[in-house]
Amino acid sequence: MDLGNKLEGTRATIETEIESFFSSAPPLNNSLDFSEQVDKFIRRNSVASGNGGPSRVVCVTSGGTTVPLEQRCVRYIDNFSSGHRGAASTEYFLKAGYAVIFLYRRGTCQPYCSSLPDDPLLECFELTDEPNIQVRQEHSEAVKRAISENHAAVVEGLLLKLPFTTIFEYLQMLRMIAIPMSNLGPNAIFYLAAAVSDFYVPWQSMAEHKIQSASGPLNMQLAQVPKMLSVLRRDWAPMAFCISFKLETDSKILLEKAGVALKKYKMNMVVANELSSRKEEVVIVTSDGQIPVRRNKAAGVDDVENPLIQLIVERHSAHIESSNL
Ligand code: PAZ
């Protein structure tokens, strides 16, 4: 078999796997409503922005996907992702003038909430003369900032928050966002910071009811989740600026794997990070080389997402310019 035929064969296999993933996944509960919200958001943000330039829209994915073990799910496999990266990055994209579709795992970090206490509702307010409630003095600045910045972004129609839980929901939603976003051509960014499960139990082979412990030790085979990055790039939104993330715990293989992903999925950038240092530094891997990006408290840059998004915005501008030549 020559190389051309072999590549064609591999591509056909991936497409079959992807097709079978989508056709066997449980359909989204509210898919019509979901599509309407996304289409409306993209239409509104595809007209020229206030400064006369073209509007830019980014889809930020955030948090981890779950893998259910039963159809009437009692147990599931999860991962560590807190959603901090996606939430903080969303704030910086909004600040840079982007409209943001925030596709996030239910219950994980939200934009503008990082300085709120962990249990915001109960901790932030206090009863004064019953039945009156007021914001506690010590939280008042953080609460005011969170409420007003979030409100401004939502009311101006610049932030659309869409929650997912399972791998099935996440991938269906990503596809339903990506296809209409392709209308934005090079002005669209995919910033894929979600920690997406690599393995799953296909719906048709999943137990319907709670798995019984009386049957003894559990043996379960997990299938590989088909890699959607190649179809995102090739079919769903071919002109968009695509940034994927690579997380490893072994620093020796991190950059090599990020480089492989860059080429294999034709990404514009891969952000490489290690589990333990992910809040301190990341390395941006591009076809021109590697750029380390660090949090620098001394320079007043208190998180790594600030310089990371600055760099992405610069590179995205260059991508738009070169696509318009
Ligand atoms: O969500 P978080 O702030 O706790 O962590 C961010 C991250 C490590 C999940 C993200 O930077 C990342 O690398 N996402 C992709 C992970 C992967 O599937 O390789």
Side-chain angles (χ1 to χ4, degrees), residues 181-226:
M181 264 181 79
S182 65
N183 293 329
L184 299 164
N187 294 325
I189 298 187
F190 288 89
Y191 180 86
L192 304 167
V196 181
S197 324
D198 286 322
F199 305 102
Y200 79 120
V201 183
W203 192 253
Q204 64 279 16
S205 58
M206 196 184 291
E208 179 185 351
H209 293 282
K210 184 182 173 206
I211 298 168
Q212 296 298 305
S213 61
S215 332
L218 180 62
N219 269 320
M220 196 171 242
Q221 179 141 26
L222 301 180
Q224 240 173 328
V225 173

Side-chain angles (χ1 to χ4, degrees), residues 32-49:
L32 267 181
D33 185 41
F34 182 91
S35 281
E36 260 173 40
Q37 280 189 73
V38 170
D39 288 350
K40 197 168 147 202
F41 185 85
I42 293 172
R43 263 200 318 276
R44 197 177 40 229
N45 285 297
S46 57
V47 293
S49 62

Side-chain angles (χ1 to χ4, degrees), residues 76-112:
Y76 54 86
I77 302 173
D78 203 353
N79 66 56
F80 69 95
S81 173
S82 65
H84 172 84
R85 172 91 73 226
S89 304
T90 293
E91 293 180 31
Y92 289 114
F93 275 121
L94 285 163
K95 209 167 164 188
Y98 283 71
V100 182
I101 298 180
F102 181 59
L103 180 60
Y104 71 98
R105 162 75 180 280
R106 248 180 217 95
T108 56
C109 297
Q110 296 290 299
Y112 305 118

Side-chain angles (χ1 to χ4, degrees), residues 124-144:
C124 290
F125 299 97
E126 62 190 356
L127 281 169
T128 50
D129 318 324
E130 259 187 289
N132 295 330
I133 293 173
Q134 70 179 22
V135 179
R136 280 181 198 278
Q137 178 64 31
E138 66 271 34
H139 296 314
S140 97
E141 275 316 302
V143 171
K144 269 194 226 150

